[in-house]
Amino acid sequence: MKWMQELQKNVTTGEELACCFPDIQSDRRTEEMIRKYPVSIPAYYLSLIDKDDVQDPIRKMCVPSFGELDLEGDMDTSGEGENTVLQGLQHKYSQTALVLSTDRCAMYCRYCFRKRMVGKVAEETAVDRESVYRYIREHPEITNVLVSGGDAFLNENSVLQEYLENLTAIPHLDYIRFGTKTPVTFPQRITEDGELKELLCRYGKKKQIYVITQFNHSREFTEQSEAAVKCLQEAGIIVKNQTVLLKGVNDSGEVLGELLKCFTRMGIIPYYVFQCRPVTGVLNQFQVPLLRGYEIVEQAKNMQNGNGKCFRYIMSTRRGKIEILGKGAGDNEMIFKFHQAKRQEDKGRIFVRTLGPDDCWIE
Ligand code: SF4
């Protein structure tokens, strides 16, 4: 397929990085870093980077730095291992099943919370898909499935069709979601593949299909990425967005506010703004303290109309998705609420914590 050939041209080696970015050396240390956490940058996404600016936010999201070798943090901050019921299938919240359909992505984001596996190992992905479908069929409490990865749209169309054929036939599923960043990093996967659009159109008539994508900066909205979003919308897909709050990328009220405005303009539903997780190789580079994060989110919200405010600022933890609701009465007090909980006793629970200025996470 043409899109697969196109991906072969991605920047993946130290030598190629050094050709694009004069400040990067093609040496043993760079190659070691890439071996640990693979690099893959599509030509399209590369073209969005201001090559003269080492602090460019688009660059920060895709070009590696030695900070990734920092060992602090955790590789599985939201307890994905303990929620895995079959290889490649997680069942944390009773109504939702999550499928890790591939370990491949068009681009490997430097802040990825699945850094332990993306582009590296297929041990966590769903190889026995028949067992996955059987598990979902046998659990009527599951009302929706998120097919993710990696990037769900890095699967061949025949695999996507198989997911759609099986999942749309399960009566207790209300809808199906695909997690893909291709509209942002590799829009031609959508715009230049008529077969994919036709599949989504066809199966969307059986059950509602959502695409969950991840724009993090307004500069990612281009003629090409907007065309990809429009293409999905024309196929009847509801496009939702999850942004990650990232130091040096979108950690100002103005930058985040401009991004949120793009969503309402494009008819994309802003779903979550995620607190960046304390992942090894990520936290020291990208996490924003919670007190500061709350201020940024509030400032960004104040730039929106009602539609632009319909997202939640969320931490995805082992016990569930916790919303950062607002400031408490005391100094540095923050109010939190379980938006999704693994345990019954946590459902809807509200609690208060006093935070230090550098606290980026709570346990
Ligand atoms: S597209 Fe998603 S899964 Fe892939 S590297 Fe980026 S954040 Fe991780």
PDB file of all heavy atoms in Angstrom, residues 48-51 53-61 219 248-249:
ATOM      1  N   LEU A  48       6.824  20.384   9.623  1.00  0.00           N
ATOM      2  CA  LEU A  48       6.180  21.373  10.500  1.00  0.00           C
ATOM      3  C   LEU A  48       7.167  22.002  11.489  1.00  0.00           C
ATOM      4  O   LEU A  48       6.844  22.972  12.163  1.00  0.00           O
ATOM      5  CB  LEU A  48       5.051  20.720  11.313  1.00  0.00           C
ATOM      6  CG  LEU A  48       3.942  19.976  10.549  1.00  0.00           C
ATOM      7  CD1 LEU A  48       2.870  19.517  11.525  1.00  0.00           C
ATOM      8  CD2 LEU A  48       3.333  20.853   9.470  1.00  0.00           C
ATOM      9  N   ILE A  49       8.373  21.414  11.576  1.00  0.00           N
ATOM     10  CA  ILE A  49       9.355  21.858  12.582  1.00  0.00           C
ATOM     11  C   ILE A  49      10.117  23.079  12.095  1.00  0.00           C
ATOM     12  O   ILE A  49      10.530  23.136  10.940  1.00  0.00           O
ATOM     13  CB  ILE A  49      10.356  20.714  12.883  1.00  0.00           C
ATOM     14  CG1 ILE A  49       9.609  19.507  13.463  1.00  0.00           C
ATOM     15  CG2 ILE A  49      11.453  21.172  13.841  1.00  0.00           C
ATOM     16  CD1 ILE A  49      10.492  18.272  13.644  1.00  0.00           C
ATOM     17  N   ASP A  50      10.304  24.043  13.002  1.00  0.00           N
ATOM     18  CA  ASP A  50      11.206  25.150  12.716  1.00  0.00           C
ATOM     19  C   ASP A  50      12.616  24.666  13.056  1.00  0.00           C
ATOM     20  O   ASP A  50      12.994  24.575  14.229  1.00  0.00           O
ATOM     21  CB  ASP A  50      10.812  26.368  13.568  1.00  0.00           C
ATOM     22  CG  ASP A  50      11.766  27.540  13.381  1.00  0.00           C
ATOM     23  OD1 ASP A  50      12.806  27.360  12.697  1.00  0.00           O
ATOM     24  OD2 ASP A  50      11.493  28.619  13.934  1.00  0.00           O
ATOM     25  N   LYS A  51      13.397  24.350  12.026  1.00  0.00           N
ATOM     26  CA  LYS A  51      14.706  23.698  12.227  1.00  0.00           C
ATOM     27  C   LYS A  51      15.728  24.632  12.897  1.00  0.00           C
ATOM     28  O   LYS A  51      16.753  24.180  13.390  1.00  0.00           O
ATOM     29  CB  LYS A  51      15.276  23.203  10.885  1.00  0.00           C
ATOM     30  CG  LYS A  51      14.302  22.325  10.100  1.00  0.00           C
ATOM     31  CD  LYS A  51      14.613  20.881  10.256  1.00  0.00           C
ATOM     32  CE  LYS A  51      13.737  19.920   9.498  1.00  0.00           C
ATOM     33  NZ  LYS A  51      12.755  20.345   8.561  1.00  0.00           N
ATOM     34  N   ASP A  53      15.101  26.442  15.468  1.00  0.00           N
ATOM     35  CA  ASP A  53      14.720  26.651  16.870  1.00  0.00           C
ATOM     36  C   ASP A  53      14.805  25.320  17.623  1.00  0.00           C
ATOM     37  O   ASP A  53      13.947  24.450  17.456  1.00  0.00           O
ATOM     38  CB  ASP A  53      13.284  27.233  16.920  1.00  0.00           C
ATOM     39  CG  ASP A  53      12.820  27.467  18.337  1.00  0.00           C
ATOM     40  OD1 ASP A  53      13.628  27.314  19.271  1.00  0.00           O
ATOM     41  OD2 ASP A  53      11.636  27.801  18.518  1.00  0.00           O
ATOM     42  N   VAL A  54      15.824  25.180  18.476  1.00  0.00           N
ATOM     43  CA  VAL A  54      15.965  23.908  19.201  1.00  0.00           C
ATOM     44  C   VAL A  54      14.840  23.736  20.233  1.00  0.00           C
ATOM     45  O   VAL A  54      14.600  22.644  20.724  1.00  0.00           O
ATOM     46  CB  VAL A  54      17.342  23.750  19.908  1.00  0.00           C
ATOM     47  CG1 VAL A  54      18.435  23.469  18.927  1.00  0.00           C
ATOM     48  CG2 VAL A  54      17.646  24.938  20.789  1.00  0.00           C
ATOM     49  N   GLN A  55      14.178  24.820  20.565  1.00  0.00           N
ATOM     50  CA  GLN A  55      13.068  24.742  21.527  1.00  0.00           C
ATOM     51  C   GLN A  55      11.711  24.638  20.828  1.00  0.00           C
ATOM     52  O   GLN A  55      10.670  24.796  21.467  1.00  0.00           O
ATOM     53  CB  GLN A  55      13.043  26.000  22.425  1.00  0.00           C
ATOM     54  CG  GLN A  55      14.311  26.221  23.233  1.00  0.00           C
ATOM     55  CD  GLN A  55      14.588  25.051  24.178  1.00  0.00           C
ATOM     56  OE1 GLN A  55      13.688  24.334  24.593  1.00  0.00           O
ATOM     57  NE2 GLN A  55      15.855  24.845  24.485  1.00  0.00           N
ATOM     58  N   ASP A  56      11.719  24.397  19.545  1.00  0.00           N
ATOM     59  CA  ASP A  56      10.453  24.358  18.805  1.00  0.00           C
ATOM     60  C   ASP A  56       9.512  23.290  19.400  1.00  0.00           C
ATOM     61  O   ASP A  56       9.928  22.141  19.598  1.00  0.00           O
ATOM     62  CB  ASP A  56      10.748  24.023  17.335  1.00  0.00           C
ATOM     63  CG  ASP A  56       9.480  23.993  16.511  1.00  0.00           C
ATOM     64  OD1 ASP A  56       8.831  25.038  16.387  1.00  0.00           O
ATOM     65  OD2 ASP A  56       9.113  22.897  16.034  1.00  0.00           O
ATOM     66  N   PRO A  57       8.269  23.653  19.709  1.00  0.00           N
ATOM     67  CA  PRO A  57       7.373  22.684  20.367  1.00  0.00           C
ATOM     68  C   PRO A  57       7.082  21.442  19.534  1.00  0.00           C
ATOM     69  O   PRO A  57       6.947  20.340  20.071  1.00  0.00           O
ATOM     70  CB  PRO A  57       6.084  23.486  20.613  1.00  0.00           C
ATOM     71  CG  PRO A  57       6.190  24.713  19.784  1.00  0.00           C
ATOM     72  CD  PRO A  57       7.638  24.979  19.562  1.00  0.00           C
ATOM     73  N   ILE A  58       7.023  21.591  18.221  1.00  0.00           N
ATOM     74  CA  ILE A  58       6.752  20.428  17.366  1.00  0.00           C
ATOM     75  C   ILE A  58       7.962  19.490  17.411  1.00  0.00           C
ATOM     76  O   ILE A  58       7.829  18.276  17.524  1.00  0.00           O
ATOM     77  CB  ILE A  58       6.468  20.874  15.903  1.00  0.00           C
ATOM     78  CG1 ILE A  58       5.352  21.920  15.845  1.00  0.00           C
ATOM     79  CG2 ILE A  58       6.160  19.683  14.999  1.00  0.00           C
ATOM     80  CD1 ILE A  58       3.987  21.453  16.276  1.00  0.00           C
ATOM     81  N   ARG A  59       9.136  20.089  17.372  1.00  0.00           N
ATOM     82  CA  ARG A  59      10.368  19.292  17.470  1.00  0.00           C
ATOM     83  C   ARG A  59      10.406  18.511  18.781  1.00  0.00           C
ATOM     84  O   ARG A  59      10.751  17.331  18.804  1.00  0.00           O
ATOM     85  CB  ARG A  59      11.577  20.239  17.357  1.00  0.00           C
ATOM     86  CG  ARG A  59      12.870  19.544  17.702  1.00  0.00           C
ATOM     87  CD  ARG A  59      14.088  20.445  17.596  1.00  0.00           C
ATOM     88  NE  ARG A  59      15.209  19.748  18.226  1.00  0.00           N
ATOM     89  CZ  ARG A  59      16.467  19.906  17.907  1.00  0.00           C
ATOM     90  NH1 ARG A  59      16.810  20.748  16.965  1.00  0.00           N
ATOM     91  NH2 ARG A  59      17.418  19.249  18.538  1.00  0.00           N
ATOM     92  N   LYS A  60      10.053  19.181  19.888  1.00  0.00           N
ATOM     93  CA  LYS A  60      10.118  18.509  21.200  1.00  0.00           C
ATOM     94  C   LYS A  60       9.288  17.230  21.245  1.00  0.00           C
ATOM     95  O   LYS A  60       9.612  16.291  21.951  1.00  0.00           O
ATOM     96  CB  LYS A  60       9.603  19.457  22.286  1.00  0.00           C
ATOM     97  CG  LYS A  60      10.653  20.389  22.788  1.00  0.00           C
ATOM     98  CD  LYS A  60      10.169  21.112  24.029  1.00  0.00           C
ATOM     99  CE  LYS A  60      11.165  22.154  24.427  1.00  0.00           C
ATOM    100  NZ  LYS A  60      12.177  21.847  25.282  1.00  0.00           N
ATOM    101  N   MET A  61       8.205  17.219  20.468  1.00  0.00           N
ATOM    102  CA  MET A  61       7.309  16.060  20.527  1.00  0.00           C
ATOM    103  C   MET A  61       7.848  14.845  19.761  1.00  0.00           C
ATOM    104  O   MET A  61       7.403  13.742  19.992  1.00  0.00           O
ATOM    105  CB  MET A  61       5.922  16.441  20.014  1.00  0.00           C
ATOM    106  CG  MET A  61       5.178  17.338  21.005  1.00  0.00           C
ATOM    107  SD  MET A  61       3.470  17.568  20.585  1.00  0.00           S
ATOM    108  CE  MET A  61       3.542  18.990  19.520  1.00  0.00           C
ATOM    109  N   ARG A 219      -0.200  24.576  15.865  1.00  0.00           N
ATOM    110  CA  ARG A 219       0.574  24.480  14.607  1.00  0.00           C
ATOM    111  C   ARG A 219       0.403  23.124  13.930  1.00  0.00           C
ATOM    112  O   ARG A 219       0.805  22.938  12.785  1.00  0.00           O
ATOM    113  CB  ARG A 219       2.047  24.777  14.881  1.00  0.00           C
ATOM    114  CG  ARG A 219       2.328  26.295  14.802  1.00  0.00           C
ATOM    115  CD  ARG A 219       3.743  26.666  15.101  1.00  0.00           C
ATOM    116  NE  ARG A 219       4.720  25.799  14.505  1.00  0.00           N
ATOM    117  CZ  ARG A 219       5.932  25.573  15.020  1.00  0.00           C
ATOM    118  NH1 ARG A 219       6.280  26.161  16.144  1.00  0.00           N
ATOM    119  NH2 ARG A 219       6.768  24.775  14.417  1.00  0.00           N
ATOM    120  N   GLY A 248       7.046  22.936  27.676  1.00  0.00           N
ATOM    121  CA  GLY A 248       7.797  23.334  26.479  1.00  0.00           C
ATOM    122  C   GLY A 248       7.012  23.148  25.187  1.00  0.00           C
ATOM    123  O   GLY A 248       7.524  23.454  24.101  1.00  0.00           O
ATOM    124  N   VAL A 249       5.793  22.636  25.293  1.00  0.00           N
ATOM    125  CA  VAL A 249       4.978  22.429  24.086  1.00  0.00           C
ATOM    126  C   VAL A 249       3.700  23.273  24.149  1.00  0.00           C
ATOM    127  O   VAL A 249       3.448  24.107  23.271  1.00  0.00           O
ATOM    128  CB  VAL A 249       4.616  20.926  23.915  1.00  0.00           C
ATOM    129  CG1 VAL A 249       3.662  20.731  22.735  1.00  0.00           C
ATOM    130  CG2 VAL A 249       5.879  20.101  23.707  1.00  0.00           C
TER     131      VAL A 249
END
